[in-house]
Amino acid sequence: MRIALDAMGGDNAPRSAVLGAWEAVKENPALTVVLVGDEEAIRRELPGELPSGLEIHHTSEIIEADDEPVRAVRRKKDSSLVVTVQLAKEGKVDAAISAGNTGALMTAGLLLCGRMEGIERPALAAFIPNIKGRVTLALDVGANMDAKPQHLYQYAIMGSLYAEKVLGFERPRVGLLNVGTEEGKGNELTKAVYGMLVDADLHFVGNVESRDVMQGECDVLVSDGFVGNVLLKAMEGTAATIFSVLKQEFTSSLINKVGAAILKPGLVRFRKRMDYAEYGGAPLLGLRRPVIKAHGSSDERAVKNAIASGVRFVSQDVNGYIQDALQKNTPGESE
């Protein structure tokens, strides 16, 4: 198993990438991680001699977080992100991982790897923790702002298979994000998709309202990219605000500080349950080669878990299962 890792992508690069890869190959002797990026910068972060499971592929450019995706991918051909995906396209590695510019990674995946046969629109997935101690795989969360019923239908198939093969969920429950739980709710898009999902070979549990997502009402949540991105960012903003207010309250007086000390073990457990780093990187589903998007602020633990996600993606042959499922489930041409 060979995994290419964009060592220069993310807020904590290259340190988090190097240390995360270091831990990953220590735990899995059969794994090789190719660190793609500035060789000198990478070597400075190595805690020791380069082990047999790590390789360095030098590149001279970096795609920044604020770079325009299409322009950056086309102009910065020797960037760590583009070369990481290029290695996957050429079959020199089994999967590509980056914590860098999300739009650029999606663009590189489309332009270089291309879509799987039969896939009309690849989808960007994300993990949403829930109170049941699991996660809900939400897709699409921003790859495609506009979608047709056939696109969401394919998202459901891809998400269900990823949840089963990589996350280990038995017969994952698929929900359709909507404004109500009744069958007739929603706009024309969701009404059309509902019927398609009812007839599909999936464990479809119906419409799911946004307020119930973190209750764990489904394992896979399907929506168009516009709605999915709004949901994800609203949740991120709410969580950040809650933690900020709690911090202010817990430090506002001596009594509150004492109370915070008593509650600390429970708060630590809660934070761990809600921590993205526990679940590794999120997949870009529908591409010919496995591409994983790690969180932009990934630390070494998150990078190590993202690599583990990539290994499971490949070893479980998720793309092969998706291809077979698409051939068996053909509801007709999109409108």
Side-chain angles (χ1 to χ4, degrees), residues 152 177-179 184-193 224 227:
L152 270 66
L177 184 59
N178 210 328
V179 296
K185 288 285 188 176
N187 55 22
E188 293 304 315
L189 174 63
T190 56
K191 290 176 183 177
V193 175
D224 63 80
V227 172

Side-chain angles (χ1 to χ4, degrees), residues 214 233-246 270 274:
M214 297 188 75
K233 289 181 177 175
M235 287 184 165
E236 289 176 345
T238 301
T241 301
I242 290 173
F243 279 113
S244 177
V245 172
L246 284 175
F270 171 72
M274 306 302 287

Side-chain angles (χ1 to χ4, degrees), residues 199-217:
D199 295 334
D201 184 20
L202 296 167
H203 186 186
F204 180 53
V205 296
N207 292 324
V208 174
E209 294 186 69
S210 56
R211 64 184 177 185
D212 295 325
V213 173
M214 297 188 75
Q215 300 297 316
E217 292 298 314

